[in-house]
Amino acid sequence: MADLELRSISKRFGDTRVLDEISLRVPDGSFTILLGASGCGKSTLLRTIAGLESQTSGHILIDGRAVDDLPPRDRDIAMVFQHYALYPHLTVRDNMAFGLRMRRTPPQDIDARIADAARLLGIEPLLNRKPKELSGGQRQRVAMGRAIVRKPKLFLFDEPLSNLDAQLRSAMRLELKRLHERLGVTMVYVTHDQVEAMTLGDTIALLDRGRLRQCDTPQRLYRTPADPFVAGFLGTPPMNLLHGSVSPRGDGWRFQSASVEIPLPPPSFRIPAGSHTDTVLGIRPEDVSISPVQEPASHLDTTVDVAEDLGSDMVLHLSAGTQPLVVRTRPNEPVHPSHPLRVFLPHRALHVFLDERRVDWT
Amino acid sequence: MTSRLPLRLGIAGLVLGSLFPFVWFLITSLKSQHEIEAVPPTWWPSGSLEFYRTALFDHHLLDYVLNSVIVAGGTTLLSLVVGTPAAYALACLRLPGQRWLMGGLLCISMFPQIAIAGPIWEILNRIGGLNTHWGVMLPYVTLTLPMAIWILASFFAELPTELEEAAQVDGCSAWSALWRIMLPLATPGIFTASILVFIYAWNEFFFALLILTRPEQQTLPVGIALFQGEFTMPWGELAAAAVLATLPLVLLVILFQRWIVSGLSAGAVKG
């Protein structure tokens, strides 16, 4: 168990910046998710932590000690790979014992640790099998077992569930969470799946094109996104983002885009009185109401394009002029395509971004 | 399936055609001196083993076999000991200019032997390698290494990088990852490379003739070629010796054919 600290990690391949000045602290016992779309650099960052890639500049500290020049074998980490990377010619038992033997662990220790891990993961009956005789989920467990027996300072996971089918994936997700709770170890986990990120992690570091956009708890990332990218990345369907400008009007303010105008309350902070052109107004689909609300709100007149009834809830695709708006509401609402619909935007649910940064408007 | 009949006939014809010289040698080796000289030739030999006896005992064939085993075995061993790490490095480690290196190797293997014969003889003469087994093994290793490296490199390249990385994280250096993980998985490639190198060294005639002038060190192809006297052509002994020289190869290939087939087709389809 250990903490991990990244100090201004950058990596360049020729002229391309794959990682750009990433600084991050992963405290002891944390389950930290590196989240982002494919190509954002999250896997490269994980591999850099492992020592399989080297950074162009910056430092990696494990337990306060710089490991920049150490090869993977001396960093005391374990990694679970996307395609499991089990050694095909070794049995499950030997796969799990391999790392311990390389480190000259006494044989009776090896046996005890394998027995413990096998019990924990429910793979005891598989110990004498070869990897090719295992199903995807079983291989996944063995790969985790191979990491667990090592008792490393740091566990690294590179999209470990992406090769499993949907049902198995959610089962393994649950198991992984339990495992983390039981072992209390430090884990860094790469995924592009926001459901995995939201449910597994206590911290999410959201990456975009090699940059760290925001690092926070899943709840804060969802409720108070730092910029429009973060706001639009999390949530299904994603947050509605309206691009336009804000300016004072009478005793309040208003947001204006090409096709909509939304009155806003006065901001809770001092702001120069002129017009602010680089403004993004965001609201989550579940925060938009199709019936009047008790709290302060603005309304918007829209037309219904499509109504998708998902059983548990309904997703409405609306348009206000050329501005699309997605709303999530209860099923069986009397909503009909191409009919007009007035929706209500509660002020406390509005996200305002000036010059790409979040401001606490209300 | 009747449309396949011409194809099958064609294949059968090809196989018989290729095998015919060997079959004819086999038949000849089992004839008596009288039958060999018969006109028209007899098809069915009497089954006499006389030529085998003279080849083995009068011409000391077994001494040549022993020399060949030493030279071919040694060449194979050396080629693999040098070629395996080289292939691993070329296939799996990020080296600058690795395409050029692989291309260079290919060029070496295409060098005409006659062009290097003189220099090689000169070098061996100076370092005392003429008429020694190691003296003939050196050029053999040089000439077979490119083939061995290409075969092995294509094998290593097929193995998932993740495996090697897992081994590194598990505590391996590049050498121990090669030894403990990559090598066991590349066994088919190693078999293929071994057999091909062995066959090359076993059959090689030109350099052996050039370098080994004393009968005590000569290998099978040279030995058999020198059966021929100034005025005589011992057909029967030649045939018997040729059969005996070919047999070990045939046995090796039959024994390991499963490995060789999977080795030669490596990279053709994804496993």
Side-chain angles (χ1 to χ4, degrees):
Chain A
M1 285 211 281
D3 57 17
L4 165 74
E5 192 181 341
L6 306 180
R7 286 190 192 153
S8 316
I9 296 291
S10 291
K11 184 171 180 65
R12 279 189 294 272
F13 287 126
D15 283 339
T16 353
R17 278 169 178 266
V18 189
L19 300 173
D20 196 358
E21 297 281 317
I22 292 181
S23 294
L24 186 67
R25 265 214 66 182
V26 179
D28 187 19
S30 160
F31 197 142
T32 295
I33 310 281
L34 303 179
L35 177 66
S38 56
C40 73
K42 56 191 190 300
S43 279
T44 309
L45 184 60
L46 192 80
R47 293 166 54 82
T48 308
I49 297 171
L52 296 170
E53 308 260 357
S54 56
Q55 68 268 34
T56 312
S57 62
H59 299 286
I60 300 169
L61 291 88
I62 297 177
D63 261 349
R65 195 168 72 100
V67 297
D68 302 328
D69 300 324
L70 295 182
R73 64 176 183 277
D74 295 328
R75 295 195 181 191
D76 201 8
I77 43 154
M79 186 154 166
V80 175
F81 291 85
Q82 186 172 8
H83 304 284
Y84 321 125
L86 300 177
Y87 310 125
H89 60 303
L90 301 180
T91 61
V92 169
R93 186 191 302 279
D94 290 335
N95 261 282
M96 290 167 74
F98 186 78
L100 297 171
R101 289 193 184 131
M102 290 304 297
R103 289 181 164 72
R104 309 201 182 287
T105 313
Q108 61 271 28
D109 268 23
I110 296 182
D111 291 345
R113 289 199 201 178
I114 290 177
D116 284 350
R119 199 175 320 115
L120 189 67
L121 293 162
I123 51 173
E124 287 156 305
L126 311 176
L127 283 176
N128 293 319
R129 294 212 198 150
K130 290 273 180 71
K132 63 167 182 274
E133 301 165 58
L134 306 178
S135 70
Q138 290 170 332
R139 285 178 201 183
Q140 185 61 69
R141 281 199 183 81
V142 174
M144 283 188 212
R146 189 169 65 178
I148 291 172
V149 291
R150 290 253 322 274
K151 298 189 180 165
K153 285 189 172 161
L154 201 60
F155 283 84
L156 306 177
F157 295 87
D158 189 5
E159 308 218 26
L161 305 185
S162 60
N163 279 335
L164 304 177
D165 61 60
Q167 214 173 353
L168 200 54
R169 198 181 311 164
S170 61
M172 287 303 289
R173 209 167 60 212
L174 216 69
E175 220 164 292
L176 209 65
K177 198 170 168 73
R178 253 184 238 134
L179 204 65
H180 177 254
E181 273 159 23
R182 198 173 318 177
L183 299 172
V185 291
T186 317
M187 292 182 171
V188 181
Y189 185 106
V190 163
T191 183
H192 64 271
D193 183 327
Q194 48 166 305
V195 179
E196 263 174 45
M198 294 295 288
T199 51
L200 280 174
D202 50 44
T203 309
I204 296 178
L206 184 58
L207 276 79
D208 173 41
R209 284 171 292 172
R211 294 213 184 140
L212 181 61
R213 299 305 284 252
Q214 188 175 0
C215 179
D216 220 324
T217 65
Q219 293 71 33
R220 277 208 287 268
L221 215 67
Y222 190 81
R223 292 192 188 125
T224 54
D227 59 41
F229 174 82
V230 180
F233 193 89
L234 289 174
T236 335
M239 185 188 282
N240 296 291
L241 296 171
L242 289 65
H243 297 262
S245 60
V246 282
S247 51
R249 185 200 214 182
D251 35 323
W253 283 59
R254 65 170 182 177
F255 169 85
Q256 190 163 27
S257 76
S259 54
V260 296
E261 196 176 310
I262 299 168
L264 295 176
S268 60
F269 54 95
R270 286 172 56 87
I271 176 172
S275 171
H276 297 266
T277 48
D278 188 4
T279 302
V280 176
L281 186 70
I283 186 158
R284 294 219 174 264
E286 64 267 29
D287 289 333
V288 182
S289 174
I290 59 170
S291 47
V293 288
Q294 299 298 319
E295 55 189 313
S298 302
H299 63 78
L300 196 61
D301 287 315
T302 66
T303 314
V304 180
D305 288 335
V306 181
E308 298 174 314
D309 197 331
L310 304 175
S312 60
D313 49 11
M314 186 153 69
V315 175
L316 307 176
H317 298 266
L318 316 173
S319 53
T322 56
Q323 175 67 54
L325 192 76
V326 178
V327 175
R328 198 161 82 196
T329 179
R330 282 176 312 180
N332 300 323
E333 294 281 357
V335 177
H336 307 286
S338 59
H339 280 223
L341 182 71
R342 173 169 283 190
V343 295
F344 299 86
L345 319 173
H347 288 159
R348 55 152 190 93
L350 290 175
H351 302 261
V352 182
F353 304 96
L354 294 181
D355 300 323
E356 295 279 303
R357 302 303 305 166
R358 173 186 193 81
V359 290
D360 289 313
W361 192 272
T362 53
Chain B
M1 282 297 134
T2 46
S3 60
R4 288 222 171 167
L5 194 64
L7 181 70
R8 289 184 181 184
L9 281 176
I11 291 173
L14 264 177
V15 171
L16 281 177
S18 316
L19 276 179
F20 179 74
F22 186 74
V23 173
W24 187 246
F25 257 65
L26 188 65
I27 292 171
T28 307
S29 72
L30 295 169
K31 286 178 180 175
S32 65
Q33 190 64 37
H34 178 71
E35 286 169 308
I36 282 183
E37 287 155 6
V39 180
T42 45
W43 280 98
W44 206 243
S46 56
S48 154
L49 293 176
E50 177 60 19
F51 287 135
Y52 284 89
R53 197 191 61 75
T54 49
L56 281 172
F57 300 109
D58 299 351
H59 291 277
H60 308 289
L61 193 73
L62 282 179
D63 294 348
Y64 298 122
V65 170
L66 184 67
N67 287 338
S68 268
V69 167
I70 292 171
V71 168
T75 303
T76 310
L77 201 70
L78 264 173
S79 257
L80 285 168
V81 167
V82 179
T84 308
Y88 172 66
L90 283 168
C92 300
L93 308 182
R94 289 178 214 164
L95 299 176
Q98 84 204 97
R99 286 169 59 100
W100 286 100
L101 280 169
M102 292 296 278
L105 283 173
L106 208 59
C107 290
I108 292 174
S109 71
M110 289 174 178
F111 233 82
Q113 296 191 349
I114 193 74
I116 53 174
I120 284 184
W121 189 88
E122 193 56 45
I123 292 169
L124 289 175
N125 187 28
R126 288 189 193 188
I127 61 174
L130 293 180
N131 279 310
T132 62
H133 286 147
W134 64 264
V136 77
M137 275 152 64
L138 274 184
Y140 283 7
V141 171
T142 314
L143 291 167
T144 53
L145 253 182
M147 172 175 69
I149 291 177
W150 267 81
I151 292 172
L152 289 166
S154 72
F155 249 87
F156 285 127
E158 285 284 295
L159 300 175
T161 344
E162 267 193 359
L163 279 179
E164 205 198 334
E165 292 174 346
Q168 284 184 37
V169 170
D170 261 347
C172 287
S173 62
W175 279 104
S176 54
L178 166 64
W179 184 249
R180 288 162 197 271
I181 302 297
M182 304 306 262
L183 213 53
L185 297 176
T187 327
I190 289 167
F191 269 110
T192 310
S194 310
I195 298 248
L196 293 180
V197 170
F198 190 88
I199 289 176
Y200 172 89
W202 186 266
N203 287 338
E204 209 286 335
F205 175 70
F206 179 68
F207 281 108
L209 183 68
L210 187 74
I211 295 165
L212 307 172
T213 47
R214 288 203 212 113
E216 298 90 81
Q217 277 91 27
Q218 276 164 351
T219 53
L220 261 176
V222 180
I224 295 176
L226 298 181
F227 274 13
Q228 187 182 336
E230 205 172 342
F231 305 107
T232 56
M233 182 53 109
W235 280 117
E237 284 88 347
L238 271 178
V243 170
L244 288 174
T246 318
L247 263 169
L249 292 189
V250 174
L251 285 178
L252 269 180
V253 172
I254 288 175
L255 222 60
F256 295 117
Q257 67 163 325
R258 196 167 62 92
W259 298 103
I260 296 177
V261 168
S262 70
L264 287 178
S265 63
V269 270
K270 230 172 140 53

